[in-house]
Amino acid sequence: MDFIPEDIQRYVEEHTDKESELLSRVNRETHQKVLMPRMLSGHLQGRVLSMLSHMIQPQRILEIGTYTGYSAICMAEGLVAGGKLITIDKNEELEASVRAYFSEAGLTDSIDFRIGDAMQLIPEIEGPFDLVFIDADKKNYLNYFNLVLQKVRIGGFIIADNVLWSGKVVKTDKKIDTDTQAILDFNRSVHEDDRVENVLFPIRDGLMVVRRIQ
């Protein structure tokens, strides 16, 4: 997941606003207690998500893949007064701790946390959304995109995480595993979709930022 020199990465983080005390604890406890802590957005990406959310000033956000709640808390920072963030995850084991983090952040009324299969839940959720964040199982990235696009308002945004997939997207001379192929298919399909504009940012493991134009 390291795409730039360590000293540059450290400089970038040192010149980026710090995460809050709560987010720092979520970060620390995720690494201490939860499997695959690399799935956490973390300091730099979290501040990027917060900044983008503040820029968009969303009334409604949909997040696919809650994990330990870090990214949801970051994006909720940009919600307008009375706004709502719906976040979906299938991991029941993390539910209690995630709800506790949301409560401590004062976001119980702002975040609607749903446990279940996103492929089944998304069709039941009404739009429109100003911002959608996709950060779940890679095999369904393109499915998620297709499910949510018409639920995003014209001019609204979709952000997808892990679109560089630890650099595997450019190592196509080697055997391509299922997840890497799913990311390659997603990136190509989004880039060729004339309903959207897109920019792929080399932030952490890659963020695809998409704006719906039709």
Side-chain angles (χ1 to χ4, degrees):
M1 197 180 290
D2 298 322
F3 298 101
I4 62 175
E6 185 178 341
D7 55 346
I8 296 294
Q9 180 71 22
R10 184 167 56 251
Y11 183 87
V12 169
E13 293 179 355
E14 288 173 351
H15 291 80
T16 296
D17 279 348
K18 293 182 179 180
E19 58 192 353
S20 68
E21 183 177 339
L22 172 60
L23 285 171
S24 179
R25 181 152 52 80
V26 175
N27 196 335
R28 182 174 62 255
E29 292 179 355
T30 298
H31 280 80
Q32 292 173 342
K33 303 176 182 180
V34 184
L35 292 174
M36 299 181 68
R38 69 192 296 271
M39 292 169 58
L40 185 87
S41 287
H43 170 215
L44 176 60
Q45 184 171 302
R47 292 303 85 208
V48 169
L49 291 174
S50 175
M51 181 69 76
L52 291 173
S53 184
H54 276 99
M55 293 168 68
I56 296 166
Q57 295 187 309
Q59 177 72 36
R60 300 187 75 222
I61 300 173
L62 174 63
E63 178 182 52
I64 306 168
T66 314
Y67 193 45
T68 54
Y70 191 102
S71 54
I73 294 172
C74 291
M75 289 186 292
E77 293 173 4
L79 280 172
V80 299
K84 180 73 72 173
L85 185 153
I86 299 173
T87 184
I88 303 170
D89 203 284
K90 63 181 180 180
N91 192 340
E92 297 178 356
E93 294 181 1
L94 295 175
E95 181 178 5
S97 60
V98 172
R99 290 192 185 280
Y101 290 141
F102 290 162
S103 177
E104 188 171 345
L107 295 170
T108 302
D109 293 333
S110 301
I111 295 182
D112 179 355
F113 182 24
R114 305 185 186 187
I115 297 293
D117 184 339
M119 289 295 295
Q120 296 179 5
L121 294 179
I122 292 171
E124 301 173 356
I125 300 174
E126 293 186 6
F129 288 96
D130 305 293
L131 172 62
V132 174
F133 183 48
I134 302 174
D135 187 16
D137 57 306
K138 310 313 163 191
K139 68 179 181 180
N140 276 316
Y141 258 39
L142 193 52
N143 291 329
Y144 294 142
F145 176 81
N146 289 326
L147 281 175
V148 303
L149 184 59
Q150 296 305 314
K151 296 178 184 289
V152 175
R153 65 170 173 80
I154 300 294
F157 293 83
I158 299 172
I159 302 174
D161 194 13
N162 304 118
V163 292
L164 293 178
W165 204 227
S166 297
K168 293 181 182 180
V169 292
V170 295
K171 297 177 181 178
T172 53
D173 57 325
K174 300 181 180 180
K175 184 177 180 180
I176 300 175
D177 60 78
T178 303
D179 284 339
T180 301
Q181 188 61 58
I183 293 295
L184 288 168
D185 292 342
F186 171 80
N187 290 341
R188 183 185 65 254
S189 295
V190 169
H191 186 56
E192 294 175 351
D193 196 321
D194 59 10
R195 298 170 297 176
V196 301
E197 296 174 338
N198 71 289
V199 180
L200 199 166
F201 289 93
I203 297 170
R204 198 165 174 263
D205 198 25
L207 287 177
M208 180 72 84
V209 178
V210 180
R211 185 171 76 94
R212 184 185 173 195
I213 58 174
Q214 59 175 283

